[in-house]
Every structure is written in C-alpha cells, then in structure tokens.
Amino acid sequence: DEAVSLALSLNPGLGSQRAAKGVAEAQLLAAGLYPDPELDAKWISRGDGTVLEGSLLQALSLAGERGLRKQKARLRIEEVHLELASVEWRLVQEVRQAFSDLLASEEAARIAQADLDLRLKVASLIQTRQELGAATLLEANLSALDAAQQRRVLLSEGIRRDLARQELNRLLGVGPGTSYPLQAAADPWAIRKLPADAGWLEELALTRRPDLAAARMAYEQSEKSLQLATRGQYPRLRIGPAYGRDEGESGLGVGASVEIPMWNRNR
C-alpha cells in the first residue's frame, strides 16, 4: 500500500495526465464564449466625392449551439477524469505486480544463497574425506562442480532481483539505483475470491472499469459533435448597426450579412 501511494504521488506519467484536466476546464470556458463581433469599414473615392461606410456585425448563435458546445466540454472533463482514474488504476495494479515480483525474486535469491551455502559445506566435507582417503577425487570434483553450478543459479537470481527492483523503481518514479527494504504484509500472496458467475463478473467490469466509462463519455461527445455539425449546415446570420457618409451627409442604419453556401453546399 505504501508503494502504491508513493507511485501515485511521484510517477511522472500521471503528471501530464493530471495537467489535461486544466486543458479540459479551459475548453469548457471557451465553449461558453460568444463569437466576437466583426467591424466592417469601406472608403470609396468617386469623381463627385467620397463614400464612407462602416458596420459592426455580431454573429448570432444557432439555436442550441452554445449549449451543445458546453455539454460537449463537460463530457470532455468527465472523460479526462475517468481516463486519469483508468491510468491510476492500471498503475496500482502494475505496482502491486512489480512489488510481488520483487518479493518473489528476493525470496528466490535467498533460497539460492542458502542452497549454495549447503552445497559448499558438502563440497568441503567431501574434500576433507578425500584428503583422508575416504572419498575419491571424482567425488570431490563432482561436489565442487555442483557448487559452481549453484553459483550460476545464484547469479541469475540476483540479476532477476535487480531487474525486478528497477521495474518497481520505474513505476514509483524514483531512481533506478534506489534501494529499500521490502516490508511484506502478513500474507502478500492473498487473492480476493470472487463468485464464479460470468454474468456478475461482466456487470462488475462494466460498472467498475473507468476506461469503459471514459469510452462512453467519448461516444457521447461524438453525439454532441454530430448535433453541432447538423446545426452548422445552415448559414450563420450576422446583424448589427451600420454607419454611412456620402457627400457630407451621414446616416445610421442596420446591417446584416449571411453566408451563401454556393461552393460548400454539401457541408
């Protein structure tokens, strides 16, 4: 549990994932903004004088467009939260697995060392017997060879232990050479028993897995994008005040503009 807490605090991969929440919140703020107004000005020189025209146009939002954008942004925030939970969940499982692997490799190395000590003791006794004439040179050589083979086993287990520690260190977010004693629980190999019911397990997976919930949020965002695209097929109207000046006379009025989907008709 301490290793899991350390990994959730220090693992560098979670930093960028958590920063994505700020991006999603900023997108929600941007989704609620209204479009900026457009200032249009014209100056035309003619033989009998000049013409000055100006207008300030504000684009009108389509029905429900702003609300759909905000809904989509809120779904994105929820998706980011679920994606982070999914990454954290996977990290927890990987840390627990790496912790068990390191615990097992340390135990295997301890057993290999004890086995080597025993074989060295046997080889020493046979060597003594051989010097006293109670054992043959062949028996002494075989016992020494057996001890040498066990040394290779111990070396292999040591390499496994070092690799397991480096993998756990990587997940924890500490240096590869960091060493620390493991404090195992009362029963580090205990496994939670689940009912052997396929239907219950499927329902549990659908309700407890954050990656599936994040996929559902992504699907709902796609639905909102489709609705926005449907509304976007209609031309957008811009309306606002207009000012004009011709031959020394000024006038105020109302200006309006609309896109003509002449080329992009299949939007």
Side-chain angles (χ1 to χ4, degrees), residues 65-110:
E65 181 184 23
R66 183 167 171 268
L68 284 174
R69 288 202 308 265
K70 295 181 67 174
Q71 291 177 23
K72 180 181 176 182
R74 291 191 185 98
L75 290 172
R76 175 55 185 165
I77 292 178
E78 186 66 21
E79 181 188 12
V80 169
H81 280 283
L82 291 170
E83 287 176 347
L84 176 60
S86 177
V87 173
E88 292 176 340
W89 177 77
R90 287 196 300 268
L91 178 62
V92 168
Q93 303 307 314
E94 291 175 356
V95 169
R96 293 188 182 279
Q97 178 66 47
F99 187 92
S100 299
D101 291 343
L102 179 55
L103 200 64
S105 64
E106 288 188 345
E107 183 68 12
R110 186 191 65 80

Side-chain angles (χ1 to χ4, degrees), residues 61-253:
S61 298
L62 299 173
E65 181 184 23
R66 183 167 171 268
L68 284 174
R69 288 202 308 265
K70 295 181 67 174
Q71 291 177 23
K72 180 181 176 182
R74 291 191 185 98
L75 290 172
R76 175 55 185 165
I77 292 178
E78 186 66 21
E79 181 188 12
V80 169
H81 280 283
L82 291 170
E83 287 176 347
L84 176 60
S86 177
V87 173
E88 292 176 340
W89 177 77
R90 287 196 300 268
L91 178 62
V92 168
Q93 303 307 314
E94 291 175 356
V95 169
R96 293 188 182 279
Q97 178 66 47
F99 187 92
S100 299
D101 291 343
L102 179 55
L103 200 64
S105 64
E106 288 188 345
E107 183 68 12
R110 186 191 65 80
I111 294 175
Q113 181 63 57
D115 195 352
L116 176 60
D117 294 340
L118 180 60
R119 293 171 190 263
L120 288 174
K121 184 177 182 180
V122 171
S124 177
L125 291 175
I126 293 179
Q127 180 67 27
T128 302
R129 292 188 64 204
Q130 191 266 333
E131 293 174 355
L132 296 175
T136 64
L137 180 60
L138 177 61
E139 291 175 332
N141 290 337
L142 287 177
S143 63
L145 180 61
D146 187 49
Q149 291 176 343
Q150 185 59 29
R151 282 194 182 92
R152 288 195 293 269
V153 173
L154 178 60
L155 178 61
S156 176
E157 293 297 340
I159 293 175
R160 277 188 53 200
R161 178 193 56 205
D162 294 341
L163 291 176
R165 182 174 292 277
Q166 290 180 11
E167 174 61 17
L168 181 57
N169 287 356
R170 182 186 68 83
L171 296 172
L172 295 181
V174 298
T178 305
S179 180
Y180 41 83
L182 294 187
Q183 298 178 358
D187 185 5
W189 317 116
I191 299 177
R192 177 188 175 191
K193 294 183 179 180
L194 298 175
D197 184 355
W200 183 84
L201 291 175
E202 181 179 354
E203 180 180 355
L204 180 66
L206 293 175
T207 56
R208 296 289 296 276
R209 285 184 52 180
D211 54 340
L212 295 180
R216 183 165 55 248
M217 293 297 103
Y219 174 79
E220 294 184 9
Q221 289 180 70
S222 299
E223 289 287 341
K224 301 303 179 184
S225 298
L226 178 60
Q227 296 178 31
L228 286 171
T230 301
R231 285 168 170 77
Q233 66 183 321
Y234 303 106
R236 189 179 299 274
L237 176 65
R238 293 175 174 83
I239 188 171
Y243 168 80
R245 182 177 179 83
D246 186 7
E247 296 182 355
E249 295 184 2
S250 302
L252 294 175

